Amino acid sequence: MRKDLFIVLFACMLLVLSTAAFAASVTRSMPSRVSAGEEFTVAFSISGVPVGELFTLEDQLPAGWQLVSWDVAGAKGGKAAVSYRQVSTRYGFSFTAESASPQVSLRVKVPATASVGNYNFDAVYFDSSGQGKSQGSVTVRTITCGDSTCEGSE
């Protein structure tokens, strides 16, 4: 009986560890600074997604910022099969993963009236193995280029 209990406990521990080892992770890439009125791309590289299972990513843009367009690569059925939703400046994308490394890209427009400063983005993601967060920030500042090459504070 003690041996059976040990085997069951070991199997449960192995299941928990294997689930944690395969949890999805998300890396966000975006410029560190932009100008008011500018458009830029936010790209999410996702890894460790269980193929054939549902994956959801939701990103919160700063108030007043606009999502111009979006795309998802690695979704079963393509972009047409992605469930898209918007609540204010929070955008959600749910899809069945066709690959373990799907990608989500957002084209974002900074308001022309945006003040100089730092603006935060806050994404959450979910799949069958759990959930996580991906945060980022961008600095809005006036960028002028005296010699057609933008450098430092120029």
Side-chain angles (χ1 to χ4, degrees):
M1 166 130 162
R2 196 164 253 214
K3 183 178 179 184
D4 291 337
L5 180 61
F6 176 76
I7 290 172
V8 170
L9 287 175
F10 181 75
C12 289
M13 184 177 71
L14 188 60
L15 179 63
V16 168
L17 290 175
S18 67
T19 301
F22 294 109
S25 65
V26 174
T27 303
R28 175 196 300 266
S29 63
M30 57 193 273
S32 61
R33 62 179 184 241
V34 294
S35 293
E38 182 179 348
E39 287 187 16
F40 65 96
T41 300
V42 177
F44 294 95
S45 297
I46 307 159
S47 61
V49 176
V51 175
E53 293 188 16
L54 184 67
F55 181 82
T56 298
L57 173 81
E58 294 183 353
D59 198 22
Q60 177 75 49
L61 305 185
W65 293 39
Q66 178 186 6
L67 179 65
V68 175
S69 63
W70 60 273
D71 197 19
V72 175
K76 185 176 181 181
K79 185 176 178 178
V82 175
S83 174
Y84 164 80
R85 70 203 151 284
Q86 174 188 356
V87 176
S88 186
T89 57
R90 184 162 205 72
Y91 299 89
F93 310 89
S94 296
F95 55 91
T96 300
E98 187 173 62
S99 82
S101 301
Q103 296 185 351
V104 176
S105 61
L106 312 177
R107 190 78 183 152
V108 177
K109 181 169 177 84
V110 182
T113 57
S115 301
V116 171
N118 292 324
Y119 293 84
N120 296 315
F121 291 70
D122 189 25
V124 293
Y125 54 92
F126 313 86
D127 68 7
S128 63
S129 64
Q131 65 183 23
K133 282 186 155 188
S134 175
Q135 297 174 314
S137 67
V138 64
T139 300
V140 172
R141 66 184 197 117
T142 304
I143 301 173
T144 56
C145 307
D147 60 358
S148 298
T149 305
C150 297
E151 302 168 320
S153 62
E154 181 178 24

